[in-house]
Amino acid sequence: MTNKTSFLIVWAGLCTFLLSSVLIHSSILRKERLIYVAELAAMARRYGLTDLCLTTEASHTRNPALSDLHSAFQTHPSALEHFPSGSIIVVPPRIKEAPLLKKKD
Amino acid sequence: MRWIRVQLALLDFALSSLVRRKGRNLSLAAVFCLLVMCFASVVFAVKSLQREAASLLEGAPDIVVQRVVGGRHDLIPVQYLGLIKSLKGVQESTPRVWGYYYDPGSGANYTLMGTRCPDPSLEEGSVLVGSGVLRTFSGLEHGRIILRSAKGSFVSLKLKGTFPSDSELLSSDLVLICEKDLRELFDIPDHLATDIIARVANPAERRKVAEKIYEALPDTRPIQKEEILRTYEAIFEWRGGLTIVVLSALILSFLILAWDKAVSLGPEETQEIGVLKALGWDTSEVVRMKLMEGLLISITGFAVGIFLAYLHVFLLSAFLFEPLLKGWSVVYPRFPLIPAFGVHDLLVIFLLTVGPYSLATIVPHWRTATIEPQIAMRAQK
Amino acid sequence: MIKLAEVRKIFNQGRPNETVALRGINLEIQEAKLTVLKGPSGSGKTTLLSLIGCMTRPTSGRIWLCERELTSLPEKFLTTIRKETFGFVFQQFNLIGGISVLENVTLPAYTIGMPRKQRRERAMELLDRFSIANKAHVKVESLSGGEAQRVAIARALMNDPKVMIADEPTAQLDSALSKEFMAIMAQLKAEGKTILIASHDPLVWGSPCVDRVVEMRDGTILMLWDSALASGGGS
């Protein structure tokens, strides 16, 4: 019977550990990465950049600064890009991982 | 004190009950964990992207003034600058020359941003590019980039350097080019610019300034930073919602399974409840014990699920849903996500997962527990 | 000690499968005596036992326990009384499978707030009394019929009840074990407990420790025999 109590204590400890480690680590990571973000914010300021480099093929979402408030949902309310399948098709690895310096021969 | 002892005894029995059907309970906990992991991953990632967008764009211009002709964006006369600068509250204002360049070889769009030269990092005839450009642009050779101008000729520019790879979220598709070179490339005359940016230090004044610009220059559209941020927020919320919809198949099937299991208690379980009642356990004690069973499973699944979700999103860049959340593009930026959630977010996830599961567990057991013991015990006969 | 007046029990009332289990029972159970309810299956013995043991309520009529009326009490009180006053041995023992003998025996004590250490000690005492202490940590599935019965009795005694109720306890036992069972009942009676057994087994109702036999049929009492006349005759 007593090994049940010790099991419960271990269990409670484990759950607490998992949750608190997430919270603690996240606050550490946040501080780290906010520094990185601050650097980027400085870059945005320097070059006058207004937009994130996401979905560059969707002309009305790359640079929302360029389009009116509704064009992000322009073509169809449920398609941010012309090809809604863009949300479901995975980017092929060769695009994500191609070598940095491509020499054309 | 006595009450505590009774609750501990109920917990004891709940635990031994769980151990008795190890296989079933472990698989329930595993599925629940998966559910929490998926749901929490989406919450973490969406909040993170929103926060990242907001923080990054802190440095963005407060107001972007575009010219609109026939409802569409057009180049803006540089002379509008004078009027904008004269408005109260505007600290500085400059014209921007920039645009998109489509590269048929890679099928991607790149952003060409003009900058005043000489710039410490750039001189005429050279460019700075983002790592996404290096990865995908088809017109690169011998440290030079070849672009086709609006007049049809080919322009060759020197690759002076790249933006640091950890700035990809902003710079992946960026080509920084001297304004003079850009004007030549896109054939934009000197008296026009793509848009005009303005800095208004006092956020309370921004709206006023935007209104004044719109009044004074009726063919323009001033866009405030807040509006851009809101659009991004909406996009990520939307994408988050889309991910949840895709996941809903998983969520629904789990709920159906749990409900099905729960609504029809097997004869063994029914008999067991009957015996407990005959031995003097009253309805509330039986239900409480079953609730403890459910909580032991769901809390375990919750804790592990949150932990896995955290690992998945912040240490493995949410690879399971990356396309859903970031969208598809040729120039795919790599960037780390910032944790932007708090205890209250975890609480909400807890209530939305453990809550319904506990309900699904209690209801059928409560129904059985109110049957008279003799009848319940006969269930096995 | 226990009194029943005009007690009726109808199952599935108003529905096509309506069954009248008890028709107007009037009965008194004496304290510290062994009473046997005798009759064929369907005579209502089991139903009467569960009514007396506060496991179910009569459709009409009243029941008193030590001058206290039970029929109008809410469930919570009934359960408390049941816990403290009655110990049950069921026809099929109804031990919970998958857990050990010790855990089964301690079950009734879970909800009365007995500290865990005390629970274990008392359970081991009882198991020892019935010579099955060595099976304490064994799973109930591996017990023989006689062992299971002794575990069931030990469980029934866990909360030191005033009344022991047993429903067809010897149905699955051979004569030797049946006699052993009655011997244990005699012991308990000697300790001052009130015993109530439902059985149609002659080894039970013909046992010398029986004080009264109540013969039932079709939900009514046919006759009552007290021990002096146990071998025959009416009351």
Side-chain angles (χ1 to χ4, degrees):
Chain A
M1 293 270 189
T2 35
N3 54 352
K4 260 194 229 133
T5 335
S6 46
F7 174 83
L8 272 169
I9 295 175
V10 168
W11 172 83
L14 206 73
C15 287
T16 318
F17 167 74
L18 287 173
L19 291 172
S20 52
S21 66
V22 163
L23 286 169
I24 295 172
H25 192 269
S26 72
S27 68
I28 297 174
L29 202 62
R30 191 178 317 141
K31 288 200 190 82
E32 240 178 65
R33 293 195 176 164
L34 276 178
I35 299 174
Y36 140 83
V37 165
E39 287 168 7
L40 285 198
M43 179 193 232
R45 198 186 177 94
R46 177 155 176 230
Y47 299 116
L49 300 173
T50 43
D51 302 284
L52 305 178
C53 179
L54 291 173
T55 64
T56 54
E57 268 58 62
S59 60
H60 45 247
T61 17
R62 177 64 172 118
N63 288 325
L66 185 55
S67 29
D68 67 60
L69 289 172
H70 302 292
S71 56
F73 307 93
Q74 197 172 352
T75 326
H76 187 290
S78 55
L80 289 188
E81 310 147 346
H82 287 282
F83 304 100
S85 49
S87 292
I88 304 174
I89 297 177
V90 178
V91 175
R94 71 168 170 84
I95 291 179
K96 276 211 259 187
E97 290 151 27
L100 277 186
L101 287 170
K102 221 163 85 169
K103 289 203 167 74
K104 208 173 179 189
D105 37 355
Chain B
M1 190 58 220
R2 196 197 98 132
W3 186 86
I4 296 178
R5 265 191 244 126
V6 173
Q7 307 316 307
L8 283 177
L10 294 179
L11 188 58
D12 214 276
F13 190 78
L15 204 58
S16 82
S17 241
L18 286 178
V19 168
R20 249 182 295 155
R21 299 183 192 98
K22 243 184 277 212
R24 181 194 98 152
N25 291 319
L26 273 173
S27 55
L28 264 173
V31 175
F32 193 79
C33 168
L34 189 71
L35 201 81
V36 170
M37 182 185 132
C38 290
F39 187 55
S41 291
V42 174
V43 171
F44 290 172
V46 167
K47 287 206 141 217
S48 171
L49 284 167
Q50 287 173 332
R51 174 70 178 275
E52 211 145 331
S55 305
L56 259 167
L57 298 179
E58 273 303 296
D62 303 313
I63 299 183
V64 174
V65 185
Q66 297 176 348
R67 180 147 179 258
V68 173
V69 173
R72 287 180 161 268
H73 171 261
D74 200 16
L75 298 172
I76 195 170
V78 176
Q79 75 186 84
Y80 284 16
L81 192 62
L83 198 141
I84 296 173
K85 271 194 162 151
S86 70
L87 291 173
K88 200 176 82 166
V90 175
Q91 266 135 335
E92 56 171 296
S93 182
T94 35
R96 288 195 306 179
V97 181
W98 63 275
Y100 290 127
Y101 182 88
Y102 177 68
D103 171 37
S106 59
N109 279 313
Y110 301 91
T111 305
L112 268 56
M113 177 64 89
T115 183
R116 283 282 154 80
C117 284
D119 180 286
S121 45
L122 209 60
E123 66 264 345
E124 280 181 29
S126 64
V127 293
L128 281 180
V129 296
S131 21
V133 179
L134 283 182
R135 279 201 296 271
T136 59
F137 196 79
S138 66
L140 297 171
E141 77 184 16
H142 309 305
R144 303 191 76 87
I145 183 170
I146 319 260
L147 301 162
R148 191 165 182 262
S149 75
K151 299 196 192 94
S153 58
F154 286 93
V155 177
S156 165
L157 298 160
K158 183 163 163 225
L159 282 177
K160 186 90 187 289
T162 53
F163 293 108
S165 58
D166 58 4
S167 67
E168 278 196 35
L169 183 54
L170 272 184
S171 67
S172 194
D173 73 337
L174 195 61
V175 175
L176 196 69
I177 181 174
C178 286
E179 196 183 302
K180 186 156 169 289
D181 293 329
L182 190 59
R183 284 181 181 280
E184 238 179 75
L185 188 71
F186 284 165
D187 196 20
I188 298 176
D190 287 343
H191 67 279
L192 294 174
T194 310
D195 51 36
I196 296 179
I197 58 173
R199 292 214 179 268
V200 180
N202 188 351
E205 284 195 331
R206 270 180 217 149
R207 176 174 237 118
K208 261 269 155 237
V209 171
E211 278 171 17
K212 283 192 226 157
I213 295 175
Y214 182 65
E215 268 173 43
L217 303 165
D219 62 345
T220 61
R221 190 164 69 104
I223 304 175
Q224 294 170 65
K225 188 161 67 174
E226 288 76 28
E227 288 165 347
I228 301 177
L229 282 178
R230 243 185 291 136
T231 313
Y232 273 111
E233 258 180 51
I235 291 174
F236 295 132
E237 293 279 5
W238 188 89
R239 283 188 173 272
L242 176 67
T243 314
I244 300 233
V245 164
V246 169
L247 285 177
S248 64
L250 173 68
I251 297 169
L252 246 133
S253 51
F254 179 73
L255 283 177
I256 291 173
L257 183 80
W259 183 254
D260 181 61
K261 262 189 179 304
V263 161
S264 49
L265 279 187
E268 202 187 286
E269 272 197 82
T270 311
Q271 193 235 10
E272 206 176 289
I273 292 181
V275 173
L276 290 174
K277 289 211 74 185
L279 293 177
W281 290 40
D282 67 41
T283 313
S284 72
E285 283 158 352
V286 173
V287 172
R288 217 175 303 152
M289 188 270 298
K290 286 294 174 187
L291 179 64
M292 287 181 192
E293 262 186 54
L295 282 176
L296 282 168
I297 294 180
S298 54
I299 291 179
T300 309
F302 177 77
V304 179
I306 294 283
F307 187 76
L308 289 177
Y310 184 80
L311 286 179
H312 166 233
V313 172
F314 298 107
L315 298 166
L316 298 171
S317 344
F319 68 95
L320 288 172
F321 326 125
E322 239 183 335
L324 276 162
L325 291 168
K326 291 187 196 164
W328 198 99
S329 71
V330 175
V331 183
Y332 207 76
R334 296 177 211 154
F335 56 92
L337 291 163
I338 306 180
F341 64 92
V343 179
H344 54 280
D345 293 297
L346 294 185
L347 256 160
V348 168
I349 299 176
F350 184 82
L351 288 173
L352 289 178
T353 48
V354 174
Y357 180 79
S358 302
L359 211 74
T361 320
I362 301 182
V363 170
H365 287 113
W366 174 79
R367 275 174 30 183
T368 310
T370 49
I371 302 177
E372 289 184 344
Q374 285 293 82
I375 303 173
M377 285 192 287
R378 260 187 226 136
Q380 211 199 31
K381 292 184 190 169
Chain C
M1 190 199 192
I2 302 173
K3 223 164 43 171
L4 293 96
E6 286 304 317
V7 168
R8 281 187 169 73
K9 180 69 181 173
I10 305 173
F11 289 108
N12 298 317
Q13 196 169 20
R15 279 188 257 170
N17 54 347
E18 184 178 294
T19 339
V20 183
L22 294 173
R23 305 162 200 275
I25 302 283
N26 291 288
L27 184 61
E28 246 186 73
I29 309 286
Q30 299 150 308
E31 192 169 351
K33 299 262 187 250
L34 200 158
T35 312
V36 176
L37 301 178
K38 174 191 169 195
S41 60
S43 54
K45 315 192 293 289
T46 308
T47 313
L48 187 54
L49 281 188
S50 44
L51 276 172
I52 294 172
C54 306
M55 277 213 270
T56 181
R57 287 181 200 277
T59 314
S60 68
R62 308 220 276 181
I63 306 178
W64 287 266
L65 173 65
C66 300
E67 312 299 316
R68 194 177 172 187
E69 211 208 309
L70 297 180
T71 24
S72 49
L73 288 181
E75 197 222 342
K76 232 183 156 62
F77 289 111
L78 267 189
T79 321
T80 317
I81 291 175
R82 188 186 335 132
K83 275 197 277 231
E84 292 165 3
T85 325
F86 295 96
F88 288 90
V89 179
F90 301 103
Q91 181 170 358
Q92 292 180 332
F93 306 142
N94 284 336
L95 298 175
I96 295 186
I99 55 177
S100 68
V101 162
L102 188 64
E103 230 182 309
N104 261 288
V105 174
T106 52
L107 276 179
Y110 274 45
T111 55
I112 58 170
M114 201 191 276
R116 179 190 282 140
K117 191 150 174 275
Q118 202 183 333
R119 286 204 301 259
R120 297 198 76 190
E121 279 169 7
R122 174 150 176 84
M124 288 305 286
E125 252 173 56
L126 287 167
L127 289 174
D128 201 35
R129 174 177 174 170
F130 298 114
S131 319
I132 34 167
N134 56 329
K135 300 269 180 179
H137 301 287
V138 160
K139 297 263 184 295
V140 298
E141 288 91 348
S142 59
L143 296 174
S144 68
E147 286 167 340
Q149 186 203 60
R150 278 179 276 164
V151 172
I153 300 174
R155 181 177 72 180
L157 290 169
M158 185 68 196
N159 292 347
D160 198 19
K162 282 196 277 219
V163 183
M164 277 287 278
I165 298 185
D167 187 5
E168 298 286 359
T170 56
Q172 324 218 348
L173 302 175
D174 62 22
S175 321
L177 288 173
S178 303
K179 289 205 190 120
E180 207 181 290
F181 176 80
M182 290 311 290
I184 297 174
M185 292 296 117
Q187 255 177 48
L188 295 174
K189 186 180 92 165
E191 287 169 17
K193 299 205 190 297
T194 310
I195 321 267
L196 187 56
I197 307 179
S199 180
H200 57 258
D201 182 353
L203 273 173
V204 172
W205 51 259
S207 173
C209 58
V210 174
D211 296 300
R212 173 180 279 189
V213 177
V214 178
E215 184 153 356
M216 293 181 68
R217 198 186 195 92
D218 295 329
T220 51
I221 296 177
L222 289 182
M223 47 183 146
L224 263 123
W225 304 334
D226 282 324
S227 70
L229 314 156
S231 45
S235 62

